[in-house]
C-alpha cells in the first residue's frame, strides 16, 4: 500500500548544482502536486499537474521545472540550486476516485549550501 | 480567490483538556474542507474532511470539526487531549469541482502539557 512515494528523502546540494526529485503514485490519481514547506509559511504550491500531459505554475514556481512523465510520475527539477531553495518538499496526488482527498508523500529534506 | 486562515501558530493545552484549533476560510463556491496532521519528520495525514454532507464531521483519533457556513469556519476539536496529539495541524480548502487546487493554512503547532 505505497500511496505516494518520493525520492530522495535527504539531499545536500552545493549552490548551482542541479537535481531532480522523483515522485510516483499508485492510486490512479489524475492530479499531482509539488509543495514546499518552510517554517511559519505552511505549504506553498510550486507546480501542479491537473491531468496527464498538463502542468501549471503554483504560488512559487521560480527556480523549478516539472515533468509529468506519465499518469503515475511527476518530477521536480532544480536547475541551479540556491540557498533559498533549502526546504522540505512534498509530492501529493488527488483524484475523484479517492473523494478528491489529497494524499502526501513522506517528504524530501533538501539543503543547499 | 480561496484562502485559509488558522488563528494561533502555537497552541498549548494540558493533557485531558479540550483541544480547539481554529480555521476560517474564504471561497467563492461551496468548498471541500480538510484537516491534516503532521508528526515530526513525516508527511501530512488526513484527519477529516467536509464535503457538503453532515456539517459535523468526525475524524480519526477522536477529532471532529464543524462546518459553519455563516461564520465561514471549520474549527477542529477534541474533548480530551492526549500526549500523542502533539503535532502540527493544517486546515485546507479546495473547490468542490474543477482543477482540485488545494490551499493550505500556515499550520498550528499543538503542544500537550503533562
Amino acid at each position: 500500500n505505497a500511496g505516494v512515494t518520493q525520492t530522495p528523502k535527504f539531499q545536500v546540494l552545493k549552490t548551482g548544482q542541479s537535481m531532480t526529485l522523483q515522485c510516483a503514485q499508485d492510486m490512479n490519481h489524475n492530479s499531482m502536486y509539488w509543495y514546499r514547506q518552510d517554517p511559519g509559511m505552511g505549504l506553498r504550491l510550486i507546480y501542479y499537474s491537473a491531468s496527464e500531459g498538463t502542468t501549471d505554475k503554483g504560488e512559487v514556481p521560480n527556480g523549478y521545472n516539472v515533468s509529468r512523465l506519465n499518469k503515475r510520475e511527476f518530477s521536480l527539477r532544480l536547475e541551479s540550486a540556491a540557498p533559498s531553495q533549502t526546504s522540505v518538499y512534498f509530492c501529493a496526488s488527488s483524484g475523484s476516485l479517492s473523494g478528491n482527498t489529497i494524499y502526501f508523500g513522506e517528504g524530501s529534506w533538501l539543503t543547499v549550501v | 480567490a480561496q484562502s485559509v486562515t488558522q488563528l494561533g501558530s502555537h497552541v498549548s493545552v494540558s493533557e485531558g483538556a479540550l483541544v480547539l484549533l481554529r480555521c476560517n476560510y474564504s471561497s467563492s463556491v461551496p468548498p471541500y474542507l480538510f484537516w491534516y496532521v503532521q508528526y515530526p519528520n513525516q508527511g501530512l495525514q488526513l484527519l477529516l474532511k467536509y464535503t457538503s454532507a453532515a456539517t459535523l464531521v468526525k475524524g480519526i483519533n477522536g477529532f471532529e470539526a464543524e462546518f459553519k457556513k455563516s461564520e465561514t469556519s471549520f474549527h477542529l476539536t477534541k474533548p480530551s487531549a492526549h500526549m500523542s496529539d502533539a503535532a502540527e495541524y493544517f486546515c485546507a480548502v479546495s473547490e468542490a469541482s474543477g482543477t482540485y487546487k488545494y490551499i493550505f493554512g500556515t499550520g498550528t503547532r499543538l503542544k500537550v502539557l503533562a
Side-chain angles (χ1 to χ4, degrees), chain B residues 42-57:
Chain B
Q42 294 187 24
L44 279 73
Q45 304 172 31
L46 180 68
L47 267 182
L48 50 83
K49 69 178 182 182
Y50 166 77
T51 58
S52 76
T55 57
L56 182 62
V57 182

Side-chain angles (χ1 to χ4, degrees), chain A residues 9 31 33 35 37 40-43 45 48 50 90 94 96 98-107 109, chain B residues 32 34 36 38 40-46 49 51 88 90 94 96 99-107:
Chain A
K9 191 166 180 69
S31 302
Y33 313 80
Y35 288 88
Q37 184 179 28
M41 305 190 77
L43 282 84
L45 182 64
Y48 70 99
F90 288 98
S94 71
S96 57
S98 58
N100 296 324
T101 298
I102 186 169
Y103 292 91
F104 287 85
E106 289 293 303
W109 274 254
Chain B
Y32 282 359
F34 306 81
Y36 284 84
Q38 184 182 32
N41 301 319
Q42 294 187 24
L44 279 73
Q45 304 172 31
L46 180 68
K49 69 178 182 182
T51 58
E88 189 155 22
F90 292 91
S94 76
T99 60
Y100 308 117
K101 290 172 68 174
Y102 298 79
I103 304 299
F104 286 82
T106 53

Side-chain angles (χ1 to χ4, degrees), chain A residues 80-112:
Chain A
S80 179
S84 60
Q85 295 178 304
T86 293
S87 188
V88 184
Y89 292 85
F90 288 98
C91 179
S93 69
S94 71
S96 57
L97 293 177
S98 58
N100 296 324
T101 298
I102 186 169
Y103 292 91
F104 287 85
E106 289 293 303
S108 297
W109 274 254
L110 176 64
T111 301
V112 182

Side-chain angles (χ1 to χ4, degrees), chain B residues 33-98:
Chain B
L33 293 159
F34 306 81
W35 275 100
Y36 284 84
V37 60
Q38 184 182 32
Y39 299 103
N41 301 319
Q42 294 187 24
L44 279 73
Q45 304 172 31
L46 180 68
L47 267 182
L48 50 83
K49 69 178 182 182
Y50 166 77
T51 58
S52 76
T55 57
L56 182 62
V57 182
K58 294 187 183 298
I60 62 172
N61 300 339
F63 284 93
E64 62 182 36
E66 186 172 7
F67 171 69
K68 291 187 176 181
K69 185 177 180 180
S70 61
E71 298 177 8
T72 61
S73 68
F74 191 57
H75 301 331
L76 181 71
T77 60
K78 182 174 180 178
S80 177
H82 191 273
M83 297 299 288
S84 61
D85 294 327
E88 189 155 22
Y89 293 80
F90 292 91
C91 182
V93 63
S94 76
E95 293 178 353
S97 62

